[in-house]
Amino acid sequence: MRSTTNSNIVRTARILRLAAWVGAAACVLVTVVGVLVPPGATAPVAAILTGSDLPHAWAAGIVLVLALVSAAALIELARMLGQVREHALFAPAATRHFRHFAGLLALAAALRVVLPAFAAIAAARQAGRHAATLTFDGGDLLALLITAVFFLVARLFDEAARLEDDSRSIV
């Protein structure tokens, strides 16, 4: 029974690994295509930073940074899923990649909050204004909370790996 369950977990990890690789590539490709489309042009994809009236170049720079960090997070997730084996579900390398994934995801969530705010302030100063409108979305704060939970899950994985090693050494 356990072997069948582990086989299903490994199979699911392989499918999710492929999805993570595709997601990372799509994240960068769609963002690059969206950034290359000139403002006002009709295209299937455009770089838009919601809730901001930043110049296109600034918004494009921000979405490129966010896309690259998000893609890096998905690559770490794919690497973690690639470490899942039938007889070693909690390999130390897998938990290390999961921690990197959580860290990069936290960085992306933090940058999503901070970069538009800094850019709005800089754009306002450049235009000679002494005030800027900053908007924060509840989704941004939720993303930060979820990444904190991922760090907890990574610690749980570390403990599971330790227990798995202990049980193997007893048998």
Side-chain angles (χ1 to χ4, degrees), residues 21-116:
W21 280 113
V22 169
C27 185
V28 172
L29 181 65
V30 168
T31 302
V32 168
V33 168
V35 164
L36 293 177
V37 172
T42 16
V45 180
I48 299 172
L49 194 59
T50 58
S52 82
D53 55 355
L54 292 173
H56 177 74
W58 292 43
I62 290 171
V63 297
L64 279 172
V65 167
L66 294 174
L68 290 173
V69 174
S70 298
L74 288 171
I75 289 168
E76 282 300 319
L77 180 63
R79 292 176 72 193
M80 184 276 287
L81 292 166
Q83 296 293 320
V84 176
R85 303 283 188 266
E86 192 166 333
H87 300 292
L89 295 177
F90 298 103
T95 62
R96 184 179 61 251
H97 289 302
F98 191 77
R99 267 193 311 282
H100 292 162
F101 162 71
L104 287 166
L105 206 56
L107 177 62
L111 289 174
R112 174 67 182 96
V113 171
V114 172
L115 287 180

Side-chain angles (χ1 to χ4, degrees), residues 102-169:
L104 287 166
L105 206 56
L107 177 62
L111 289 174
R112 174 67 182 96
V113 171
V114 172
L115 287 180
F118 282 140
I121 292 168
R125 287 188 162 239
Q126 191 177 35
R129 295 183 311 228
H130 298 291
T133 302
L134 303 178
T135 57
F136 295 97
D137 188 338
D140 295 333
L141 298 176
L142 181 62
L144 288 169
L145 176 64
I146 289 171
T147 59
V149 170
F150 282 158
F151 279 111
L152 174 64
V153 170
R155 289 185 63 200
L156 294 172
F157 280 169
D158 287 336
E159 183 62 15
R162 188 187 65 75
L163 292 172
E164 189 176 58
D165 282 345
D166 285 352
S167 72
R168 269 199 223 112
S169 67

